[in-house]
Amino acid sequence: MTKTAAIIGGGVIGGGWAARFLLNGWDVRVFDPDPEAARKIDAVLANARHALPMLYDVALPAEGHLTFHTTLSETVMGADWIQESVPERLDLKHKVFQALQEHCDAGAIIGSSTSGFKPSELQDGAARPEQIVVTHPFNPVYLLPLIELVTTEKNPPALITRAKDILTSLGHFPLHVRREIDAHIADRFLEAVWREALWLVKDGIATTEEIDNAIRYGFGLRWGQMGLFETYRIAGGEAGMKHFIDQFGPCLSWPWTKLMDVPELTDELAQMIADQSDAQSGHLSIRELERKRDNNLVAMLRALRQQGNAAGRLINQHQQTIKTTLTDGPPITSARRVIPADWTDYNGHMNEGRFGQLFSDAADAVMTLVGADTAYIAGGLSYFTVENTISFLAEAHAGEHIRVETRVTQGEGKKLRCFHEMKRESDGALLATSDQFMLHVDLKSRKSCDPRADVLARVVALAKKHKEA
Ligand SMILES: NC(=O)C1=CN([C@@H]2O[C@H](COP(=O)(O)OP(=O)(O)OC[C@H]3O[C@@H](n4cnc5c(N)ncnc54)[C@H](O)[C@@H]3O)[C@@H](O)[C@H]2O)C=CC1
Ligand SMILES: C[N+](C)(C)CC(=O)CC(=O)[O-]
């Protein structure tokens, strides 16, 4: 049964949560008194629909239904997950929890997006404190995996486990913060870095752009794949972490940083920062900046997927849980996906090599269907493509949803031949075809041989069925 999420507060963060749930097949109800809320969520959704599917090599589940509601009761009634993302004011959050707990199921999980409040502060005075946890996301919520799940001893272990499972099923990485603390874990770092940056601007040491350059050309790249401690472990050389601490630890008490001291945010300082930021990025609208950020994030995350590391490993694991059903056809829908931005080239369209990749993925699906799957290959038998004729019929672009339809045109002995048609989902346009001829091989001798009897029987039956249809 389709699950339902209730989004309370549909601003920057609520919109991101709505997109994450919707694109993973949940129905989403939104409550936000702002008359502009639907328009704002639409804009976030447009970004999410462009970016999130590009992360995966398979199609995401069918989108859920999005509805807007004028009462809190209608929004939360029967919802499985309620995500509060109203402005960062404790009195407002208390008011919202009080009102929604009058109508929501006692078994529903209530997550708060709060950047800084501790869960015990949120639970204070609630009718059912055990339902309320902090689920602190990172912007853009639809792309960044981290959710800081902060709990108290009032939250039953079963609820915490369920919360982790649901977040994981959405492609998130739930980091369980077991001991609550103001601003959780990540925002404490972000604040420290931000404080230091404000000093550097105020003291005229660096502009906003120079500070951003110091991050994006250097340690920002390191942090994205190894974090802080693993990076510093390497920086200690062969002697490792202990040597690193001995060498650089004393610097922490030298006057390298202003540490806890916060510059007064006078109008003058705020204006200086705003002016520098305008000079740096004012030529792009917020939507253009978001699109640029999202495309960069997708490309970086896909690179991490290829290495099977950090957030990339998580996305690989999430993809395994997305169900794709292969049927005999004809035709077999052998691939369905979105074209990622990093598959396009200097001509502004999908590069020819990626057409080959897609047809190769389609052939893999046919192999799985006949039983020549990963276990079969690990056992030493497989198929090799020996001939492939591709016709390029129309351009394909980043963000387009496409599918490959395959007919098995020959299946006898060692021979397996497929005719693939790549189509655009939106209008059914035929983008390319591939006539692919494969031979069954023994991976040890690297010579052609007959398939295992059961695989051969399926290949023969499939070819017969497709010929007769
Ligand atoms: N913006 C960010 O980078 C991040 C924000 N957060 C947290 O997310 C929460 C929301 O922040 P943003 O989305 O940035 O704020 P926002 O100002 O963009 O959105 C807040 C939304 O809540 C709505 N709202 C106000 N009162 C409401 C009520 N009684 N019921 C329902 N909706 C109501 C507003 O109309 C607005 O659309 C805050 O707790 C914040 O700390 C967490 C992570 C990152
Ligand atoms: C600025 N902020 C404290 C609201 C930031 C966050 O909470 C997380 C983020 O997305 O950077």
Side-chain angles (χ1 to χ4, degrees), residues 41-61:
I41 287 202
D42 259 7
V44 179
L45 258 178
N47 277 348
R49 286 189 183 116
H50 168 80
L52 183 69
M54 288 189 196
L55 278 187
Y56 298 90
D57 296 323
V58 297
L60 288 173

Side-chain angles (χ1 to χ4, degrees), residues 72-84:
L72 204 52
S73 54
E74 196 181 70
T75 316
V76 301
M77 206 171 287
D80 302 278
W81 185 289
I82 298 157
Q83 186 65 32
E84 171 276 305

